[in-house]
Amino acid sequence: MVDAHHLETYRDTARFADDLSDPRMDAVDEFWRELDAAEVIERTEYQAERIE
């Protein structure tokens, strides 16, 4: 397993983002609020395969 996908790494990244004074983080916070209030969330998964 790669360290980038460990839960603590996600938490560290979230704490880092929360500490930023970047106004773009307001849009990220709004995105999470909208997801939290969502009744249905759709997703699309793509997979690519190289055929040689």
Side-chain angles (χ1 to χ4, degrees), residues 11-23 25 29:
R11 289 179 177 151
D12 290 343
T13 302
R15 281 190 287 271
F16 175 76
D18 285 343
D19 291 342
L20 291 175
S21 59
D22 189 326
M25 289 307 299
D29 291 338

Side-chain angles (χ1 to χ4, degrees), residues 28-41:
V28 174
D29 291 338
E30 178 60 25
F31 174 76
W32 292 125
R33 279 191 291 276
E34 289 175 12
L35 281 181
D36 189 44
E39 292 182 22
V40 175
I41 298 174

